[in-house]
Amino acid sequence: MSGAMHDPAERPLTVAIDGPAASGKGTLAKRLAVVLGVPHLDTGLLYRAVGRRVLDAGADPADAAAATDAAVALVPEDLSRADLRGPVADAAAAKVASVPGVRAALLDFQRRFAQGGAVLDGRDIGTVVLPDAPVKLFVTAGLDVRAQRRYQELVSRGGAVPDFETIRAEMAARDEADRTRTAAPLRPAEDAAILDTSDLDADGALARAEAIIRWKLGV
């Protein structure tokens, strides 16, 4: 299918995917990258890794200077840490992501990654990181649906799991912080296609995304 959708001999294809937590954008991005034969970057890991570096140093992720220093010092190996998921990493990532110095330090990394064609997912890919990407998707889903997905994800990992209402409240707070932050707030790019996954499984979301890409590329 990748050959029918995009000829690798042509200009490298870059797909920018944005959306809130647990919308399904990460799973979709990974699968699209395989279909298109290009690398995938979960840009949220960059901010989680920066947040963890700040915490490791005993500093507050909301401290702009500490967060910027951590972003400048980030190395690829930081993205392989085992503690980049969960409420602590979520909260730290949200704080450092609002720091302009952090975003500036990570911007070049993301753009270099995409130069040969790639699928990047995050919260400001289509609006800030890759505004000229030929294909932009904004993946979303209802808050209750996303909270239930996160709850099931945490249950599957084992260990103590917050109740659904706590997860829902934390996700709503994260959504609000992402939407209202000064630096690159979460919003669809003007030319992004909206993909609501509330009633779609992973296969359905992939099929819808492939249809959008075909339409965008005129194939």
Side-chain angles (χ1 to χ4, degrees):
M1 183 174 292
S2 58
M5 189 183 304
H6 178 69
D7 183 351
E10 297 176 354
R11 177 186 174 190
L13 178 61
T14 300
V15 179
I17 302 180
D18 294 306
S23 59
K25 67 180 184 295
T27 298
L28 175 61
K30 291 176 185 175
R31 298 185 70 183
L32 266 182
V34 173
V35 169
L36 296 172
V38 296
H40 163 248
L41 176 63
D42 174 358
T43 64
L45 291 180
L46 299 174
Y47 297 96
R48 291 170 182 271
V50 170
R52 279 297 183 184
R53 267 188 167 267
V54 176
L55 294 175
D56 289 348
D60 182 352
D63 181 329
T68 300
D69 287 345
V72 171
L74 196 71
V75 294
E77 289 75 17
D78 287 323
L79 304 182
S80 300
R81 292 180 57 147
D83 57 357
L84 299 183
R85 302 291 183 184
V88 174
D90 288 349
K95 290 179 180 178
V96 302
S98 67
V99 177
V102 171
R103 309 195 75 84
L106 299 178
L107 188 58
D108 286 345
F109 177 94
Q110 296 173 79
R111 288 178 172 169
R112 286 196 304 270
F113 186 93
Q115 284 179 349
V119 177
L120 276 68
D121 71 274
R123 286 175 167 76
D124 65 347
I125 309 304
T127 54
V128 175
V129 179
L130 301 172
D132 296 325
V135 178
K136 301 175 188 174
L137 303 175
F138 189 86
V139 182
T140 188
L143 177 59
D144 286 341
V145 172
R146 293 188 291 116
Q148 184 63 37
R149 288 174 180 170
R150 179 55 54 83
Y151 176 76
Q152 294 297 337
E153 177 188 357
L154 294 175
V155 168
S156 69
R157 294 179 186 172
V161 177
D163 61 52
F164 173 80
E165 290 303 325
T166 297
I167 293 173
R168 186 184 188 281
E170 291 175 348
M171 187 167 287
R174 174 71 186 276
D175 288 349
E176 182 65 15
D178 284 340
R179 281 194 299 266
T180 59
R181 69 189 182 207
T182 302
L186 173 65
R187 61 179 175 80
E190 291 184 1
D191 56 345
I194 307 300
L195 175 51
D196 191 322
T197 67
S198 297
D199 299 317
L200 297 174
D201 61 11
D203 288 340
L206 179 62
R208 189 74 56 82
E210 289 179 343
I212 291 171
I213 292 174
R214 291 181 187 280
W215 171 65
K216 287 278 190 178
L217 299 180
V219 298

